Amino acid sequence: MDYGKTAPAVLEGVGGASNVASLGHCATRLRFVLKDASKADRAAVEAAPGVITVVESGGQFQVVIGNDVAKAYAEITRISGLGADRAPAKDASASGSGSTGPAPRGNPLTRLVDVISSIFTPFLWTLAGAGLLKATIVLVTKLGLVAETSQEFTVLNAAGDGVFFFLPVLLAVTAAKRFGANQWTAMAIAGSLVYPAIGALNEAGDPVSFFGIPMVMVAYASSVIPVILAVYVQSFVERGLDKALPSSIRNFITPMLTILLMVPLTLLTIGPASDWAGQGASGLIGWLFGLSPAVAGAVLGGTWQIMVVFGIHWGLVPMMANDLAVQGHSLLYGPLVAASAAQGAAVLAVMLRTRSKSLKKLAGPAAVSSFLAGITEPAVYGVNLRLKKPFVYACIAGAVGGGIASAGGSASTAYIMPGLLSLSAYLEVGSFALQLTGVAVAIALSFGLTMALGFKDIAEDTAEATEPDEATDPATAPERPAGEAFEVATPVEGRVVALTDVQDPVFSAGTLGDGAAVAPTSGEVHAPIDGTVVSVLPHAYGLRSPEGVEVLVHIGIDTVRLGGEHFTTAVRQGDHVRLGDPLGEVDLAAVEAAGYDTTTMVIVLDAAGTGVVRTTEHSEVEHSTVLLSLSPERALTPVG
């Protein structure tokens, strides 16, 4: 199919790109939210090449394409500019198309943690590599191989530290994709925050104002929360401007006004709010150290990584610098090595326990950078915070170890990154033995809790578990004997229901093909055939057998609206799977609690015939039980 012809015909049929409020796609459908539904010509869209039918439901104009919907989507976004740089559809799936789903459900803290983790995910490997490089640089300077005053050190340090210094710019890109804002405008806003002249205003310490409004200057390099909040607000500003401005000037006036508004707004409100939170935390910690070093060490050791996540830790840096300048050491450093090492120990335990190949590979360098250099961002954002429980275990261990380390008055005599390679800075003040004990306890406790209590693992990365070869590649499997029926198994355990009973007209009418449905009782999803994975969305999988039969597994009705929440995928496009191999997992209870039907459809795309699956003999099935039988003539008939 030439989607170069489909795309303009569909766009014209929905009233043009200017009539599209947002666009996303699921496993089989383009999902338009139109500004004026009366402008859409349904008949014209259905007549477009490649379009199977149109469904208007839930405030959406859904154009059913089939298994190649991603190609149609890509062509429409190419010629229209819709998609990644425009407000996304509220139901768009996390398919890498540039559209994202709604914010996750749950309590505010859980939602915030999930958002932060997802925003860091795209560049975790870069973060891990840079963290490992920084640890290596610290090691070579400690060994005297490179002097810290040398030009070589300057170059190497810039190589390792650049990604952390300009972290707001990286976050702007992924946050914009998450919130549906323009990525380039988001980068411009983030670049303004780390602009050298803005940093100089902060370092000068002189009063700063903006048209008479006092401006509290803070350090934005390496910060996290200010830019995420700024991009979140940016997404609403852009949508408002897009609606208000005429199309003739929208493309350049919207970015101009957005940058003009968001940069001062961030510097006047969002940044200072983060700074005030940091100052409050530093005041509390300072008061606790005066009351009891052990208690203060426990509080700081347990909350340090939490403060890092929210950027509040910067409020303690001026106190540390003042302590070093006035008295030559800072007690605030006392519990920090234990806190960093605890995160490294937790991620090391994750590496040993997880079945995910990609998580194992990420955990290794993340643990090294946490242990040696105290660079915990790869461990926290890439592994522990993503899995939640290991992060909690590490915070508990950091509290215990930090309390022990600070109980002996341990303090650093230099400005350091709190890693094991920096322990020499603790030799001169307080009990070095208690410092070592605290670090050892934090490591042992964090590692032990993670290993013993475990965590909810992400699905095993089937794609990386084995490389395709003659023994595993379905493409090399023996040809099916002539005259033998092609069988499709059920991908989930549950109760078989007729496709005509499914509460979705596209599936129940057999528009995409014949098949069956299963009301699942287990959240594990397995491959119903031997074949190649041709499409992957959190809620749907497309597979193609060596004979060319394409099967769609669609989990739930309208579950694309969840944006991937409660779904975990175990395969990627292009993977080869065998019958019964895991495709992914879904939290059925959570999906149902969110108000969605979890009925799972199994469709043989473009199959001829009108057979209806009987439920009398096979009402309860286990995964990999034969569900459908496709005759050699491609007529679909029920089993039983």
Side-chain angles (χ1 to χ4, degrees):
M1 178 61 61
D2 181 5
Y3 289 103
K5 298 179 180 178
T6 305
V10 170
L11 271 179
E12 183 179 355
V14 298
S18 61
N19 192 41
V20 179
S22 59
L23 168 64
H25 76 83
C26 61
T28 59
R29 315 175 199 188
L30 296 168
R31 292 172 174 257
F32 291 90
V33 176
L34 303 180
K35 297 176 182 178
D36 185 352
S38 65
K39 293 183 178 180
D41 185 340
R42 176 169 178 165
V45 174
E46 289 182 331
V51 174
I52 298 175
T53 188
V54 169
V55 177
E56 296 181 70
S57 175
Q60 296 178 338
F61 191 86
Q62 303 175 14
V63 181
V64 183
I65 300 293
N67 223 24
D68 287 333
V69 65
K71 296 179 181 178
Y73 175 87
E75 183 62 21
I76 289 178
T77 57
R78 186 188 69 81
I79 66 174
S80 68
L82 295 170
D85 292 335
R86 292 286 300 274
K90 293 299 182 182
D91 68 327
S93 62
S95 62
S97 63
S99 299
T100 56
R105 307 178 198 278
N107 65 69
L109 180 59
T110 298
R111 291 170 60 187
L112 182 58
V113 167
D114 287 340
V115 167
I116 292 174
S117 297
S118 67
I119 288 172
F120 272 88
T121 297
F123 57 88
L124 284 176
W125 285 109
T126 301
L127 209 61
L132 189 57
L133 178 58
K134 283 183 66 70
T136 304
I137 294 169
V138 171
L139 178 60
V140 297
T141 54
K142 289 292 183 181
L143 295 175
L145 301 177
V146 176
E148 291 189 23
T149 57
S150 68
Q151 295 176 345
E152 290 78 9
F153 174 82
T154 299
V155 173
L156 293 174
N157 190 57
D161 200 44
V163 66
F164 296 100
F165 185 90
F166 291 104
L167 188 59
V169 179
L170 275 70
L171 292 171
V173 176
T174 53
K177 189 171 183 179
R178 172 76 188 193
F179 301 133
N182 185 295
Q183 296 179 13
W184 312 110
T185 302
M187 291 174 67
I189 295 170
S192 300
L193 299 183
V194 295
Y195 192 69
I198 296 297
L201 289 176
N202 175 56
E203 294 173 1
D206 298 327
V208 179
S209 64
F210 182 74
F211 290 107
I213 304 174
M215 184 178 290
V216 179
M217 300 306 300
V218 301
Y220 291 96
S222 304
S223 63
V224 174
I225 297 300
V227 71
I228 291 178
L229 291 177
V231 175
Y232 179 69
V233 176
Q234 172 201 342
S235 66
F236 290 97
V237 171
E238 287 179 338
R239 292 171 198 175
L241 290 173
D242 278 351
K243 292 180 180 179
L245 296 173
S247 59
S248 59
I249 62 172
R250 182 188 302 142
N251 287 345
F252 57 90
I253 294 296
T254 293
M256 184 193 78
L257 294 180
T258 301
I259 295 171
L260 179 63
L261 174 64
M262 288 309 306
V263 172
L265 180 64
T266 303
L267 294 174
L268 286 168
T269 60
I270 297 174
S274 300
D275 185 62
W276 291 332
Q279 291 179 12
S282 66
L284 175 61
I285 296 297
W287 175 78
L288 285 175
F289 266 103
L291 181 67
S292 169
V295 172
V299 172
L300 185 55
T303 61
W304 177 251
Q305 295 301 329
I306 299 174
M307 289 192 288
V308 168
V309 169
F310 292 101
I312 299 174
H313 68 300
W314 292 111
L316 297 178
V317 173
M319 291 184 64
M320 294 173 174
N322 182 71
D323 289 345
L324 290 171
V326 174
Q327 59 194 30
H329 65 270
S330 176
L331 293 170
L332 296 177
Y333 277 107
L336 300 191
V337 177
S340 298
Q343 293 293 333
V347 82
L348 182 61
V350 170
M351 184 176 70
L352 296 177
R353 281 196 56 134
T354 184
R355 296 177 302 162
S356 168
K357 300 295 183 182
S358 61
L359 204 58
K360 285 181 182 290
K361 292 177 182 178
L362 179 61
V368 172
S369 64
S370 296
F371 279 132
L372 298 185
I375 305 296
T376 58
E377 283 85 351
V380 170
Y381 297 119
V383 181
N384 294 344
L385 193 63
R386 180 181 176 187
L387 299 176
K388 296 184 177 64
K389 286 185 178 181
F391 182 75
V392 174
Y393 302 149
C395 289
I396 293 172
V400 176
I404 295 172
S406 293
S410 183
S412 173
T413 56
Y415 182 82
I416 59 170
M417 295 301 291
L420 297 181
L421 293 177
S422 302
L423 280 173
S424 58
Y426 294 86
L427 285 170
E428 300 177 20
V429 180
S431 172
F432 188 63
L434 282 181
Q435 174 65 243
L436 294 179
T437 302
V439 172
V441 168
I443 293 174
L445 183 58
S446 179
F447 183 85
L449 287 174
T450 307
M451 290 295 292
L453 301 182
F455 48 88
K456 184 177 180 180
D457 197 8
I458 64 175
E460 182 179 5
D461 301 303
T462 305
E464 296 181 358
T466 57
E467 292 295 327
D469 54 32
E470 292 185 358
T472 61
D473 188 349
T476 64
E479 293 186 4
R480 188 178 304 277
E484 182 177 314
F486 183 89
E487 296 179 338
V488 180
T490 174
V492 294
E493 297 179 0
R495 178 177 55 84
V496 177
V497 296
L499 194 62
T500 52
D501 293 335
V502 171
Q503 300 301 306
D504 185 302
V506 173
F507 291 116
S508 62
T511 304
L512 294 172
D514 275 317
V518 180
T521 56
S522 171
E524 296 180 356
V525 184
H526 301 263
I529 61 171
D530 295 342
T532 302
V533 179
V534 294
S535 64
V536 179
L537 294 176
H539 66 288
Y541 303 88
L543 293 90
R544 181 184 294 119
S545 77
E547 297 88 349
V549 178
E550 294 195 5
V551 176
L552 171 68
V553 177
H554 194 287
I555 308 162
I557 297 174
D558 271 346
T559 45
V560 64
R561 294 177 181 269
L562 291 171
E565 187 181 7
H566 311 310
F567 292 87
T568 303
T569 57
V571 293
R572 292 182 294 189
Q573 185 175 352
D575 288 350
H576 300 288
V577 294
R578 289 289 194 184
L579 172 66
D581 283 351
L583 295 179
E585 191 172 352
V586 55
D587 186 339
L588 295 175
V591 172
E592 290 174 348
Y596 293 90
D597 186 338
T598 59
T599 300
T600 298
M601 281 65 69
V602 184
I603 307 296
V604 179
L605 300 175
D606 300 323
T610 57
V612 177
V613 174
R614 306 180 191 278
T615 61
T616 52
E617 296 182 14
H618 297 279
S619 58
E620 299 293 333
V621 292
E622 298 180 355
H623 80 78
S624 301
T625 301
V626 176
L627 180 65
L628 306 169
S629 179
L630 187 63
S631 71
E633 293 76 24
R634 296 182 61 81
L636 190 66
T637 57
V639 175

